Amino acid sequence: MALVKDGKIEFRLNSWMENAAIVGLVNILGDKVIQHDQSIEVPLKEFENFEEAYFGYFAKQYQKLSSLSKVLAYEEEMNRNKQDNFVKFDQSSYERLQKYLTDLKRYGESNSYLAVYPLIESDVKILDLIKQAKIDKLKKGEFDQSREQVVERVRNVYQVLTEIFSYYKREDVQRYLAAKIQIYSVINNGYNDVSFLNRQESKGDFFVKYHDYFVESMFSYLEDDHEKDKLSCTNCGHPIKKGDISYSFINQAGYDANRKQSNAWSFTNDLFMCPACRLLYTCISAGFTYVYNQGVFVNDNHSVESLVKVNAGIRLNVLDLNKTEVKSIDTYAALIRTLQDEMGRQSRRELQDIQVVRYENERYYFNLLPKHILKTINQSKNMLPDLFNAGFNLNGEYHNVYREVVNCLMNNTNLYALIHQILRIKVSGGQVYANSYHVMKMIEINKNFLEELIQVRILEAKELENIRRDGYFFKQEYANRNKADSVGLRLLNSLKANNRDAFMDMLLNSYMYLNKQVPRYFTEVFLDEERFKTIGYAFVTGMIGEPYNNEGGQVNE
């Protein structure tokens, strides 16, 4: 809801979309925004040059992911080599430079960069410099045999690179280029096809285009007399003269009212907004935290303060996870870390459900995390990080275990299917980058989930570990490795089908064949499905997986 009073414009919390935009506006303007419990106020004077703060936020926030940072990254190594007079410069240094020059050409001649060069008043012909920045591939033995000539070749390239770095570090280049890069990697995740994001308007000064299209139109609207207006903004309820601003420019939130009139009731669209709300919605991208093509926003809408704080935590955690690089999985890891921090803050009051909005593959996904999921995440805080680098290949596609586990939890789904899938691929000789330790952590996390869901204690972690060890040593008793694998696979199939009778028949026959006593805990598999599958998967993990904790690694053939 937008309202002007005493030279300030007010925006109130509403749906996730308005809330994300409000968080984005706070992120952009910082302490210039006055925060209340359920609303914010912004002095109108802060919008006079809003485009500078707007694009500046994205350039600074996503600097680590920017190709401009990668373009300038080699300067430090270049200066170090020059300072040391190339004493430590070796063949690998030459090959590293060669790779960098290839990346420089790819970035420097890309569409985003080409669109910015005409906006820079400079005599430097940057494209010519980029073409000059190249070195020949080394022939076999050339570096050792002609090191001085090779280094001289590098010195000449360094002279060109010095000019290139000087150009890219210019204030006006940084202002335009850093922002332009984020237009098509971050900003367009929130909205599209209008102003500078319209194909026909993509060239030219996007700072001016944003100001004219969004900021000036808002000021004009606020200055107009709306006493005789017959329409109203469906977002804030304030009067508007005509319905010319639809929701179609917001990704996944509207439709083209001119081409798809059948989407509206009686073929007449009545969903319009005012220019003030339109400007607010351009801040959606600033409310989300994006890593490559993935974004996340936590709609903890109990207050503006909680909204801003929890999403700031995600941004900080993303940057903290990897000091040298950012990975696509970092949005998930940052989300979990932040939720765990939130658990600590909410410990003194009643735990509240939290809505998580994810943006992936140009679509929004919504998860309402109830109390038992939040508690599961908190209880599993020491186990989840162990899965960060675990993964498996399925149908030629790599799946990260950490991400898959978090997806299951956010969808309020147990992990049995995922555990089964990993063990099945493993026993079949497929590509699995996870061992018994990882699978057991998944079983423990799943146990936490089930115990919170049904409020019944299933097993302790120590008991699960003993069951896994029994499964490992059970397999060791078989003289024939293939027979043991066959038994493990059949037990796995029984677990998948939830067939306790088939599972116990195979188990009893196997123990009789080995002339061993069946462990007492198997009597519990008939108590309930959760206990059956938890015990069963822990045992089969021991049979299929690798040894650890000094169990030895020899398997009888």
Side-chain angles (χ1 to χ4, degrees), residues 325-386:
E325 61 176 326
V326 179
K327 304 173 184 176
S328 59
I329 192 180
D330 286 356
T331 52
Y332 285 81
L335 171 63
I336 296 304
R337 277 193 181 184
T338 307
L339 290 177
Q340 288 165 351
D341 293 341
E342 188 69 10
M343 298 304 98
R345 285 196 291 268
Q346 293 192 32
S347 60
R348 297 181 181 179
R349 59 184 171 89
E350 179 65 20
L351 196 62
Q352 301 291 328
D353 298 350
I354 293 178
Q355 183 188 36
V356 175
V357 184
R358 290 176 296 138
Y359 183 80
E360 295 180 22
N361 303 317
E362 300 183 358
R363 291 187 60 186
Y364 288 109
Y365 298 87
F366 303 90
N367 300 97
L368 182 64
L369 302 186
K371 298 176 186 178
H372 69 273
I373 295 295
L374 296 174
K375 288 182 179 179
T376 300
I377 289 172
N378 193 42
Q379 290 173 358
S380 307
K381 60 185 176 184
N382 295 326
M383 306 171 204
L384 282 165
D386 292 337

Side-chain angles (χ1 to χ4, degrees), residues 448-474:
N448 291 342
F449 167 76
L450 294 172
E451 289 179 343
E452 287 296 334
L453 183 66
I454 62 180
Q455 295 297 304
V456 174
R457 190 194 76 83
I458 298 176
L459 290 165
E460 297 294 340
K462 188 175 181 180
E463 294 175 290
L464 287 172
E465 175 56 22
N466 288 336
I467 294 171
R468 183 205 64 82
R469 285 173 60 87
D470 287 347
Y472 172 74
F473 288 116
F474 172 77

Side-chain angles (χ1 to χ4, degrees), residues 181-194:
I181 292 167
Q182 302 310 327
I183 287 176
Y184 295 106
S185 58
V186 176
I187 296 175
N188 67 339
N189 289 328
Y191 63 102
N192 224 320
D193 297 328
V194 292

Side-chain angles (χ1 to χ4, degrees), residues 183-218:
I183 287 176
Y184 295 106
S185 58
V186 176
I187 296 175
N188 67 339
N189 289 328
Y191 63 102
N192 224 320
D193 297 328
V194 292
S195 184
F196 58 92
L197 284 168
N198 187 296
R199 290 184 178 180
Q200 297 177 345
E201 298 288 332
S202 60
K203 296 181 179 180
D205 194 326
F206 48 90
F207 281 82
V208 174
K209 292 179 186 293
Y210 181 91
H211 181 87
D212 292 346
Y213 193 86
F214 295 109
V215 180
E216 276 301 320
S217 61
M218 183 190 75

